[in-house]
Amino acid sequence: MNAPQEHPHWPTLWQATRYWLLLGLISFGGPAGQIALMHRELVERRRWISESRFLHALNYCMLLPGPEAQQLATYMGWLLHGRIGGIIAGGLFILPSVILLIALSALYLQFGDLPWVAALFDGIKPAALALIILACWRLGSRTLKHPLAWGMALAALLNALFLHLAFPWVIGIAAIVGLIAQRSGSKAFSAGGHGSSHKDQPHEPALIDDHSPLPAHASPSRKQIAALLVCGALLWLLPFGLLLGHDGLSSIAAFFSKAALVTFGGAYAVLPYVFDAAVNQYQWMTPHQMLDGLALGESTPGPLIIIVTFIGFLGGWQQAMLGADSLLAGGVAGALVATWFTFLPSFVFILLGAPWVESTRQIPSLAAAMAAISATVVGLIVHLALVFGWHLFLPHAFSQLPDMFAVGTCIMAVWLLHVRQWSVLKVIGLSAALGLVNFGASLL
Protein backbone atom coordinates (compact mmCIF):
# COMPACT_ATOMS: atom_id res chain seq x y z
CA MET A 1 0.00 0.00 0.00
CA ASN A 2 1.37 3.40 -1.00
CA ALA A 3 1.84 6.08 1.64
CA PRO A 4 -0.79 8.84 1.81
CA GLN A 5 0.10 11.65 -0.57
CA GLU A 6 0.43 15.26 0.43
CA HIS A 7 -0.22 18.16 -1.92
CA PRO A 8 3.34 19.02 -2.96
CA HIS A 9 4.77 22.36 -1.95
CA TRP A 10 8.35 23.48 -2.34
CA PRO A 11 10.08 22.81 0.99
CA THR A 12 12.13 25.47 2.68
CA LEU A 13 15.74 24.62 3.44
CA TRP A 14 14.81 24.24 7.13
CA GLN A 15 11.95 21.82 6.32
CA ALA A 16 14.25 19.75 4.15
CA THR A 17 16.97 19.82 6.83
CA ARG A 18 14.56 18.40 9.41
CA TYR A 19 13.67 15.58 7.02
CA TRP A 20 17.33 14.74 6.29
CA LEU A 21 18.09 14.65 10.00
CA LEU A 22 15.14 12.31 10.62
CA LEU A 23 16.35 10.08 7.78
CA GLY A 24 19.82 9.95 9.32
CA LEU A 25 18.32 8.83 12.63
CA ILE A 26 16.09 6.05 11.23
CA SER A 27 18.07 4.82 8.21
CA PHE A 28 18.45 1.22 9.31
CA GLY A 29 18.27 -1.77 6.97
CA GLY A 30 21.17 -1.22 4.60
CA PRO A 31 21.05 0.57 1.23
CA ALA A 32 17.87 -1.18 0.04
CA GLY A 33 15.95 -0.11 3.14
CA GLN A 34 17.41 3.41 3.08
CA ILE A 35 16.55 3.92 -0.59
CA ALA A 36 13.03 2.58 0.06
CA LEU A 37 12.63 5.10 2.90
CA MET A 38 13.64 7.96 0.62
CA HIS A 39 11.37 6.74 -2.17
CA ARG A 40 8.38 6.50 0.16
CA GLU A 41 8.83 10.04 1.48
CA LEU A 42 10.26 11.98 -1.47
CA VAL A 43 8.35 10.33 -4.32
CA GLU A 44 5.16 8.85 -2.89
CA ARG A 45 4.16 11.01 0.06
CA ARG A 46 5.74 14.45 -0.22
CA ARG A 47 5.95 14.41 -4.07
CA TRP A 48 9.10 16.51 -4.09
CA ILE A 49 10.71 14.35 -6.82
CA SER A 50 9.13 12.34 -9.65
CA GLU A 51 9.60 8.58 -9.95
CA SER A 52 11.74 8.74 -13.10
CA ARG A 53 13.95 11.52 -11.73
CA PHE A 54 14.49 9.51 -8.55
CA LEU A 55 15.44 6.34 -10.44
CA HIS A 56 17.64 8.23 -12.87
CA ALA A 57 19.58 9.72 -9.96
CA LEU A 58 19.80 6.28 -8.33
CA ASN A 59 21.24 4.74 -11.49
CA TYR A 60 23.98 7.36 -11.47
CA CYS A 61 24.76 6.76 -7.80
CA MET A 62 24.94 3.00 -8.41
CA LEU A 63 27.67 3.60 -10.99
CA LEU A 64 29.85 5.57 -8.57
CA PRO A 65 32.25 4.29 -5.94
CA GLY A 66 30.92 4.93 -2.47
CA PRO A 67 27.68 4.39 -0.53
CA GLU A 68 24.83 4.78 -3.03
CA ALA A 69 22.14 5.62 -0.43
CA GLN A 70 24.18 8.47 1.06
CA GLN A 71 25.03 9.70 -2.44
CA LEU A 72 21.36 9.55 -3.43
CA ALA A 73 20.43 11.66 -0.39
CA THR A 74 23.11 14.17 -1.42
CA TYR A 75 21.74 14.20 -4.97
CA MET A 76 18.15 14.78 -3.80
CA GLY A 77 19.25 17.55 -1.44
CA TRP A 78 21.18 19.19 -4.29
CA LEU A 79 18.21 18.92 -6.64
CA LEU A 80 15.99 20.73 -4.13
CA HIS A 81 18.32 23.38 -2.71
CA GLY A 82 21.58 23.40 -4.63
CA ARG A 83 25.03 22.68 -3.23
CA ILE A 84 24.16 23.68 0.35
CA GLY A 85 21.13 21.38 0.24
CA GLY A 86 23.26 18.50 -1.03
CA ILE A 87 25.89 19.00 1.67
CA ILE A 88 23.24 19.14 4.40
CA ALA A 89 21.41 16.05 3.11
CA GLY A 90 24.54 13.94 2.69
CA GLY A 91 26.08 15.17 5.94
CA LEU A 92 23.01 14.52 8.10
CA PHE A 93 22.62 11.09 6.53
CA ILE A 94 25.85 9.98 8.22
CA LEU A 95 26.28 12.38 11.17
CA PRO A 96 24.07 10.51 13.71
CA SER A 97 25.75 7.19 12.94
CA VAL A 98 29.25 8.73 13.20
CA ILE A 99 28.49 10.14 16.66
CA LEU A 100 26.85 6.90 17.81
CA LEU A 101 29.64 4.71 16.45
CA ILE A 102 32.37 6.80 18.12
CA ALA A 103 30.55 6.41 21.45
CA LEU A 104 30.04 2.67 20.93
CA SER A 105 33.68 2.22 19.90
CA ALA A 106 34.88 3.88 23.13
CA LEU A 107 32.57 1.67 25.21
CA TYR A 108 33.72 -1.37 23.25
CA LEU A 109 37.39 -0.76 24.02
CA GLN A 110 36.74 0.20 27.64
CA PHE A 111 34.44 -2.68 28.53
CA GLY A 112 34.83 -5.21 25.70
CA ASP A 113 36.93 -7.49 27.89
CA LEU A 114 34.14 -7.90 30.44
CA PRO A 115 32.84 -11.47 30.19
CA TRP A 116 29.20 -10.52 29.64
CA VAL A 117 30.10 -7.93 26.98
CA ALA A 118 32.29 -10.50 25.21
CA ALA A 119 29.34 -12.91 25.41
CA LEU A 120 27.12 -10.36 23.67
CA PHE A 121 29.57 -10.13 20.78
CA ASP A 122 29.97 -13.91 20.72
CA GLY A 123 26.28 -14.02 19.87
CA ILE A 124 26.32 -11.09 17.44
CA LYS A 125 29.33 -12.16 15.35
CA PRO A 126 27.65 -15.25 13.82
CA ALA A 127 24.74 -13.02 12.80
CA ALA A 128 27.21 -10.62 11.15
CA LEU A 129 28.71 -13.53 9.23
CA ALA A 130 25.18 -14.54 8.16
CA LEU A 131 24.71 -11.05 6.72
CA ILE A 132 27.89 -11.43 4.65
CA ILE A 133 26.72 -14.82 3.36
CA LEU A 134 23.34 -13.41 2.36
CA ALA A 135 24.94 -10.34 0.75
CA CYS A 136 27.00 -12.71 -1.37
CA TRP A 137 23.88 -14.69 -2.26
CA ARG A 138 21.86 -11.61 -3.24
CA LEU A 139 24.64 -10.07 -5.31
CA GLY A 140 25.44 -13.40 -6.97
CA SER A 141 21.81 -14.07 -7.89
CA ARG A 142 21.65 -10.67 -9.61
CA THR A 143 24.99 -10.71 -11.40
CA LEU A 144 26.10 -14.31 -12.10
CA LYS A 145 23.82 -15.01 -15.05
CA HIS A 146 26.46 -15.73 -17.69
CA PRO A 147 29.48 -18.07 -17.81
CA LEU A 148 31.84 -15.10 -18.16
CA ALA A 149 30.42 -13.56 -14.97
CA TRP A 150 30.88 -16.86 -13.13
CA GLY A 151 34.44 -17.06 -14.43
CA MET A 152 35.27 -13.58 -13.17
CA ALA A 153 33.87 -14.38 -9.71
CA LEU A 154 35.94 -17.57 -9.57
CA ALA A 155 39.07 -15.76 -10.77
CA ALA A 156 38.61 -13.13 -8.06
CA LEU A 157 38.27 -15.83 -5.39
CA LEU A 158 41.38 -17.67 -6.60
CA ASN A 159 43.33 -14.41 -6.72
CA ALA A 160 42.33 -13.62 -3.13
CA LEU A 161 43.36 -17.11 -2.00
CA PHE A 162 46.65 -17.49 -3.89
CA LEU A 163 47.84 -14.57 -6.05
CA HIS A 164 46.94 -11.56 -3.89
CA LEU A 165 46.77 -9.04 -6.72
CA ALA A 166 45.89 -5.67 -5.18
CA PHE A 167 42.20 -4.82 -4.95
CA PRO A 168 42.32 -1.67 -7.16
CA TRP A 169 43.93 -3.73 -9.93
CA VAL A 170 41.22 -6.39 -9.62
CA ILE A 171 38.50 -3.72 -9.89
CA GLY A 172 40.25 -2.05 -12.84
CA ILE A 173 40.62 -5.31 -14.76
CA ALA A 174 36.97 -6.17 -14.13
CA ALA A 175 35.84 -2.78 -15.44
CA ILE A 176 37.93 -3.21 -18.61
CA VAL A 177 36.51 -6.68 -19.22
CA GLY A 178 32.98 -5.29 -18.81
CA LEU A 179 33.65 -2.46 -21.26
CA ILE A 180 35.16 -4.82 -23.84
CA ALA A 181 32.22 -7.22 -23.47
CA GLN A 182 29.70 -4.41 -23.95
CA ARG A 183 31.51 -3.00 -26.99
CA SER A 184 31.70 -6.46 -28.56
CA GLY A 185 27.95 -6.97 -28.20
CA SER A 186 28.13 -9.58 -25.44
CA LYS A 187 25.14 -9.84 -23.09
CA ALA A 188 27.32 -11.11 -20.22
CA PHE A 189 27.04 -7.85 -18.32
CA SER A 190 23.73 -6.43 -19.47
CA ALA A 191 22.48 -4.29 -16.61
CA GLY A 192 18.92 -3.31 -15.90
CA GLY A 193 17.76 -0.31 -13.97
CA HIS A 194 18.07 -0.12 -10.24
CA GLY A 195 15.56 0.72 -7.62
CA SER A 196 12.00 -0.18 -6.95
CA SER A 197 9.47 -0.59 -9.68
CA HIS A 198 6.06 0.64 -8.63
CA LYS A 199 3.12 -0.23 -10.85
CA ASP A 200 0.76 2.10 -9.03
CA GLN A 201 2.41 5.39 -9.78
CA PRO A 202 1.23 8.47 -7.88
CA HIS A 203 -1.01 10.73 -9.95
CA GLU A 204 -0.24 13.98 -8.12
CA PRO A 205 2.39 15.93 -10.09
CA ALA A 206 5.77 16.20 -8.41
CA LEU A 207 7.55 19.46 -7.76
CA ILE A 208 10.41 18.26 -9.96
CA ASP A 209 8.96 15.89 -12.55
CA ASP A 210 9.92 14.77 -16.04
CA HIS A 211 8.70 17.89 -17.82
CA SER A 212 8.95 20.72 -15.31
CA PRO A 213 11.87 23.12 -15.73
CA LEU A 214 14.77 22.33 -13.44
CA PRO A 215 15.96 24.84 -10.85
CA ALA A 216 18.63 27.24 -12.06
CA HIS A 217 21.33 25.58 -9.95
CA ALA A 218 20.76 22.31 -11.83
CA SER A 219 22.21 23.65 -15.08
CA PRO A 220 25.81 22.57 -15.70
CA SER A 221 28.40 25.34 -15.68
CA ARG A 222 32.13 25.25 -16.35
CA LYS A 223 32.66 27.89 -13.67
CA GLN A 224 30.85 25.71 -11.13
CA ILE A 225 32.92 22.69 -12.13
CA ALA A 226 36.16 24.63 -11.69
CA ALA A 227 35.05 25.95 -8.30
CA LEU A 228 34.01 22.49 -7.10
CA LEU A 229 37.26 20.91 -8.25
CA VAL A 230 39.30 23.56 -6.41
CA CYS A 231 37.18 23.25 -3.25
CA GLY A 232 37.31 19.45 -3.34
CA ALA A 233 41.08 19.46 -3.83
CA LEU A 234 41.59 21.93 -0.97
CA LEU A 235 39.31 19.97 1.37
CA TRP A 236 41.47 16.92 0.71
CA LEU A 237 44.91 18.55 0.51
CA LEU A 238 44.72 20.82 3.56
CA PRO A 239 43.73 18.13 6.12
CA PHE A 240 46.11 15.64 4.52
CA GLY A 241 48.93 18.18 4.63
CA LEU A 242 48.28 18.81 8.33
CA LEU A 243 48.52 15.06 8.98
CA LEU A 244 51.75 14.44 7.06
CA GLY A 245 53.87 14.88 10.16
CA HIS A 246 51.93 12.13 11.93
CA ASP A 247 52.59 8.67 10.51
CA GLY A 248 49.58 6.95 12.09
CA LEU A 249 46.86 9.43 11.14
CA SER A 250 48.36 10.10 7.71
CA SER A 251 48.28 6.34 7.03
CA ILE A 252 44.57 6.31 7.88
CA ALA A 253 43.98 9.32 5.62
CA ALA A 254 45.94 7.84 2.70
CA PHE A 255 44.37 4.40 2.90
CA PHE A 256 40.75 5.55 3.16
CA SER A 257 41.27 8.11 0.38
CA LYS A 258 42.28 5.23 -1.86
CA ALA A 259 39.53 2.93 -0.56
CA ALA A 260 36.89 5.60 -1.25
CA LEU A 261 37.73 5.48 -4.96
CA VAL A 262 37.32 1.70 -5.33
CA THR A 263 34.17 1.04 -3.28
CA PHE A 264 32.10 -0.09 -6.27
CA GLY A 265 29.23 -2.42 -5.47
CA GLY A 266 28.55 -1.32 -1.91
CA ALA A 267 30.24 -1.78 1.44
CA TYR A 268 30.42 -5.56 1.26
CA ALA A 269 32.38 -5.22 -1.97
CA VAL A 270 35.17 -3.20 -0.38
CA LEU A 271 35.22 -5.03 2.97
CA PRO A 272 37.79 -7.61 1.77
CA TYR A 273 40.14 -4.77 0.80
CA VAL A 274 39.57 -2.90 4.08
CA PHE A 275 39.88 -6.11 6.08
CA ASP A 276 43.26 -6.96 4.56
CA ALA A 277 44.64 -3.47 5.18
CA ALA A 278 43.21 -2.95 8.68
CA VAL A 279 44.12 -6.43 9.97
CA ASN A 280 47.19 -7.52 8.03
CA GLN A 281 48.91 -4.45 6.58
CA TYR A 282 48.47 -1.77 9.27
CA GLN A 283 47.42 -4.05 12.17
CA TRP A 284 44.86 -1.55 13.45
CA MET A 285 42.66 -4.40 14.69
CA THR A 286 42.24 -8.17 14.88
CA PRO A 287 39.92 -10.27 12.67
CA HIS A 288 37.54 -10.72 15.61
CA GLN A 289 37.43 -6.97 16.18
CA MET A 290 36.68 -6.44 12.49
CA LEU A 291 33.72 -8.79 12.79
CA ASP A 292 32.59 -6.94 15.93
CA GLY A 293 32.79 -3.70 13.95
CA LEU A 294 30.65 -5.19 11.21
CA ALA A 295 28.08 -6.18 13.83
CA LEU A 296 28.05 -2.64 15.24
CA GLY A 297 27.74 -1.17 11.74
CA GLU A 298 24.73 -3.37 11.01
CA SER A 299 23.13 -2.33 14.33
CA THR A 300 23.36 1.43 13.80
CA PRO A 301 21.70 3.76 11.27
CA GLY A 302 23.53 5.01 8.22
CA PRO A 303 25.46 3.26 5.45
CA LEU A 304 27.32 0.07 6.35
CA ILE A 305 30.60 1.59 5.16
CA ILE A 306 30.33 3.75 8.29
CA ILE A 307 32.28 0.97 9.99
CA VAL A 308 35.33 2.91 8.75
CA THR A 309 34.61 5.13 11.77
CA PHE A 310 35.01 2.10 14.04
CA ILE A 311 38.18 0.99 12.24
CA GLY A 312 39.72 4.45 12.50
CA PHE A 313 38.80 4.67 16.18
CA LEU A 314 40.40 1.32 17.00
CA GLY A 315 43.50 2.20 15.01
CA GLY A 316 43.89 5.56 16.74
CA TRP A 317 43.28 4.09 20.19
CA GLN A 318 45.17 0.80 20.02
CA GLN A 319 48.22 2.31 18.37
CA ALA A 320 48.13 5.32 20.74
CA MET A 321 48.36 7.72 17.79
CA LEU A 322 48.13 10.77 20.07
CA GLY A 323 50.16 9.27 22.91
CA ALA A 324 49.61 6.71 25.64
CA ASP A 325 47.96 9.33 27.86
CA SER A 326 45.44 10.32 25.17
CA LEU A 327 43.94 7.04 23.98
CA LEU A 328 40.40 8.41 23.69
CA ALA A 329 41.58 11.50 21.81
CA GLY A 330 43.62 9.26 19.49
CA GLY A 331 40.57 7.10 18.86
CA VAL A 332 38.32 10.06 18.08
CA ALA A 333 40.98 11.55 15.79
CA GLY A 334 41.38 8.26 13.93
CA ALA A 335 37.60 7.91 13.57
CA LEU A 336 37.14 11.42 12.21
CA VAL A 337 40.06 11.12 9.79
CA ALA A 338 38.78 7.80 8.43
CA THR A 339 35.25 9.19 8.05
CA TRP A 340 36.33 12.45 6.41
CA PHE A 341 38.56 10.88 3.76
CA THR A 342 36.06 8.09 3.02
CA PHE A 343 33.03 10.32 2.41
CA LEU A 344 34.58 13.46 0.92
CA PRO A 345 34.83 11.96 -2.61
CA SER A 346 31.12 11.05 -2.52
CA PHE A 347 30.12 14.68 -2.09
CA VAL A 348 32.48 15.75 -4.87
CA PHE A 349 31.18 13.08 -7.27
CA ILE A 350 27.56 14.12 -6.73
CA LEU A 351 27.95 17.89 -6.71
CA LEU A 352 30.27 17.71 -9.72
CA GLY A 353 28.39 15.17 -11.81
CA ALA A 354 24.72 15.68 -10.97
CA PRO A 355 24.17 18.68 -13.31
CA TRP A 356 25.53 16.67 -16.23
CA VAL A 357 23.63 13.53 -15.28
CA GLU A 358 20.38 15.48 -15.50
CA SER A 359 21.06 15.94 -19.21
CA THR A 360 21.62 12.24 -20.00
CA ARG A 361 19.56 9.10 -19.51
CA GLN A 362 21.74 6.10 -20.31
CA ILE A 363 25.42 5.21 -19.87
CA PRO A 364 25.47 1.60 -21.17
CA SER A 365 29.26 1.18 -21.17
CA LEU A 366 29.53 2.31 -17.55
CA ALA A 367 26.61 0.08 -16.60
CA ALA A 368 28.42 -2.91 -18.16
CA ALA A 369 31.62 -2.03 -16.28
CA MET A 370 29.64 -1.83 -13.06
CA ALA A 371 28.03 -5.22 -13.71
CA ALA A 372 31.43 -6.80 -14.36
CA ILE A 373 32.79 -5.31 -11.14
CA SER A 374 29.78 -6.69 -9.27
CA ALA A 375 30.45 -10.19 -10.63
CA THR A 376 34.06 -9.96 -9.52
CA VAL A 377 33.02 -8.72 -6.10
CA VAL A 378 31.01 -11.91 -5.52
CA GLY A 379 34.26 -13.87 -5.44
CA LEU A 380 35.82 -11.35 -3.07
CA ILE A 381 32.88 -11.55 -0.67
CA VAL A 382 33.08 -15.36 -0.71
CA HIS A 383 36.71 -15.03 0.33
CA LEU A 384 35.75 -12.59 3.10
CA ALA A 385 33.12 -15.04 4.39
CA LEU A 386 35.70 -17.85 4.37
CA VAL A 387 38.20 -15.77 6.36
CA PHE A 388 35.62 -14.63 8.91
CA GLY A 389 34.17 -18.13 9.15
CA TRP A 390 37.61 -19.62 9.78
CA HIS A 391 38.31 -17.23 12.67
CA LEU A 392 34.79 -17.61 14.09
CA PHE A 393 34.15 -21.33 13.77
CA LEU A 394 37.74 -22.56 14.25
CA PRO A 395 39.36 -20.03 16.62
CA HIS A 396 42.02 -22.60 17.57
CA ALA A 397 42.48 -23.93 14.02
CA PHE A 398 42.16 -27.72 14.10
CA SER A 399 43.48 -28.19 17.62
CA GLN A 400 39.90 -28.22 18.94
CA LEU A 401 36.43 -28.99 17.63
CA PRO A 402 34.52 -26.21 15.80
CA ASP A 403 32.58 -23.73 17.93
CA MET A 404 29.14 -25.31 17.54
CA PHE A 405 27.38 -22.38 19.22
CA ALA A 406 28.77 -20.04 16.55
CA VAL A 407 27.89 -22.49 13.75
CA GLY A 408 24.34 -22.97 15.03
CA THR A 409 23.74 -19.25 15.59
CA CYS A 410 24.97 -18.43 12.10
CA ILE A 411 22.67 -21.03 10.51
CA MET A 412 19.75 -19.73 12.57
CA ALA A 413 20.48 -16.14 11.52
CA VAL A 414 20.62 -17.08 7.83
CA TRP A 415 17.26 -18.87 8.16
CA LEU A 416 15.58 -16.00 10.03
CA LEU A 417 16.89 -13.35 7.62
CA HIS A 418 16.36 -15.21 4.37
CA VAL A 419 13.37 -17.47 4.99
CA ARG A 420 11.46 -15.75 7.78
CA GLN A 421 12.40 -12.24 6.54
CA TRP A 422 13.20 -10.93 10.00
CA SER A 423 14.75 -7.49 10.24
CA VAL A 424 18.50 -7.19 10.85
CA LEU A 425 17.94 -5.54 14.23
CA LYS A 426 15.66 -8.35 15.46
CA VAL A 427 18.15 -11.03 14.41
CA ILE A 428 21.09 -9.23 15.99
CA GLY A 429 19.10 -8.69 19.17
CA LEU A 430 18.15 -12.36 19.38
CA SER A 431 21.74 -13.43 18.65
CA ALA A 432 23.07 -11.14 21.39
CA ALA A 433 20.56 -12.63 23.84
CA LEU A 434 21.64 -16.14 22.88
CA GLY A 435 25.24 -15.13 23.53
CA LEU A 436 24.31 -14.15 27.06
CA VAL A 437 22.34 -17.37 27.57
CA ASN A 438 25.32 -19.42 26.32
CA PHE A 439 27.61 -17.53 28.69
CA GLY A 440 25.29 -18.16 31.62
CA ALA A 441 25.07 -21.86 30.78
CA SER A 442 28.87 -22.11 30.72
CA LEU A 443 29.00 -20.84 34.30
CA LEU A 444 26.70 -23.58 35.60
Side-chain angles (χ1 to χ4, degrees):
M1 181 181 296
N2 287 334
Q5 295 178 24
E6 296 179 353
H7 183 72
H9 64 279
W10 201 276
T12 65
L13 181 60
W14 172 241
Q15 289 173 326
T17 297
R18 286 187 298 172
Y19 168 70
W20 298 123
L21 177 59
L22 175 64
L23 180 66
L25 292 169
I26 64 172
S27 57
F28 295 93
Q34 293 155 0
I35 290 167
L37 277 174
M38 280 187 276
H39 185 277
R40 178 182 180 276
E41 287 295 315
L42 299 178
V43 176
E44 295 182 5
R45 192 171 79 82
R46 301 174 191 259
R47 301 297 295 134
W48 290 350
I49 309 291
S50 71
E51 174 83 10
S52 62
R53 287 282 179 200
F54 183 89
L55 293 180
H56 183 55
L58 177 57
N59 281 334
Y60 172 59
C61 295
M62 290 292 292
L63 291 172
L64 294 174
E68 62 265 26
Q70 185 262 346
Q71 290 170 335
L72 182 62
T74 306
Y75 195 117
M76 295 293 101
W78 165 83
L79 204 54
L80 289 167
H81 292 105
R83 289 191 294 273
I84 185 63
I87 292 169
I88 290 173
L92 290 179
F93 190 84
I94 61 173
L95 181 61
S97 54
V98 170
I99 295 172
L100 180 58
L101 210 49
I102 287 176
L104 290 175
S105 300
L107 292 173
Y108 172 82
L109 287 176
Q110 285 279 23
F111 304 108
D113 290 335
L114 293 177
W116 67 270
V117 176
L120 279 174
F121 279 97
D122 285 343
I124 292 174
K125 282 185 281 194
L129 178 58
L131 290 166
I132 296 177
I133 293 170
L134 290 176
C136 182
W137 172 266
R138 287 192 297 267
L139 184 60
S141 64
R142 291 201 311 266
T143 59
L144 304 185
K145 297 181 178 180
H146 189 277
L148 181 56
W150 277 96
M152 293 189 68
L154 179 60
L157 175 59
L158 294 176
N159 171 72
L161 289 172
F162 304 113
L163 300 179
H164 309 296
L165 185 65
F167 182 81
W169 284 103
V170 174
I171 293 298
I173 292 170
I176 292 171
V177 171
L179 288 171
I180 293 173
Q182 190 273 332
R183 295 291 177 86
S184 65
S186 170
K187 301 297 183 183
F189 303 112
S190 298
H194 299 284
S196 306
S197 61
H198 295 264
K199 295 181 180 179
D200 300 322
Q201 296 296 337
H203 298 291
E204 183 77 33
L207 292 175
I208 300 179
D209 62 20
D210 300 345
H211 306 293
S212 61
L214 289 173
H217 64 260
S219 301
S221 161
R222 291 184 178 180
K223 178 183 283 188
Q224 289 181 359
I225 290 176
L228 281 168
L229 286 174
V230 170
C231 287
L234 289 176
L235 288 172
W236 185 87
L237 285 169
L238 291 178
F240 192 82
L242 293 174
L243 297 173
L244 279 179
H246 194 289
D247 292 340
L249 293 176
S250 63
S251 295
I252 292 177
F255 171 72
F256 284 108
S257 295
K258 184 167 57 174
L261 301 178
V262 294
T263 54
F264 295 95
Y268 284 111
V270 79
L271 275 179
Y273 180 46
V274 173
F275 172 87
D276 181 64
V279 174
N280 300 321
Q281 182 178 351
Y282 296 105
Q283 298 179 344
W284 292 327
M285 60 202 315
T286 67
H288 284 286
Q289 288 175 330
M290 183 72 177
L291 198 51
D292 290 340
L294 178 61
L296 287 176
E298 291 283 7
S299 308
T300 53
L304 179 58
I305 196 62
I306 203 67
I307 69 166
V308 302
T309 304
F310 176 82
I311 295 170
F313 191 99
L314 263 66
W317 176 300
Q318 296 187 145
Q319 295 195 358
M321 291 185 179
L322 293 184
D325 297 329
S326 306
L327 296 181
L328 178 59
V332 173
L336 294 177
V337 168
T339 304
W340 177 265
F341 286 95
T342 296
F343 286 95
L344 176 63
S346 292
F347 286 94
V348 175
F349 290 146
I350 295 300
L351 299 180
L352 193 64
W356 300 96
V357 170
E358 283 299 314
S359 64
T360 182
R361 289 291 178 182
Q362 292 294 332
I363 316 176
S365 58
L366 289 181
M370 178 66 193
I373 290 170
S374 296
T376 300
V377 159
V378 174
L380 299 176
I381 300 177
V382 169
H383 177 255
L384 180 70
L386 291 174
V387 172
F388 277 160
W390 176 271
H391 288 284
L392 185 61
F393 299 149
L394 295 165
H396 306 288
F398 292 106
S399 62
Q400 296 181 12
L401 292 175
D403 184 341
M404 296 311 299
F405 170 77
V407 173
T409 304
C410 183
I411 293 172
M412 178 206 70
V414 170
W415 179 73
L416 290 175
L417 289 164
H418 186 62
V419 178
R420 303 296 297 175
Q421 297 293 303
W422 279 28
S423 69
V424 170
L425 284 181
K426 284 178 65 177
V427 172
I428 287 179
L430 175 60
S431 300
L434 290 176
L436 289 176
V437 170
N438 183 60
F439 171 66
S442 68
L443 297 178
L444 299 177

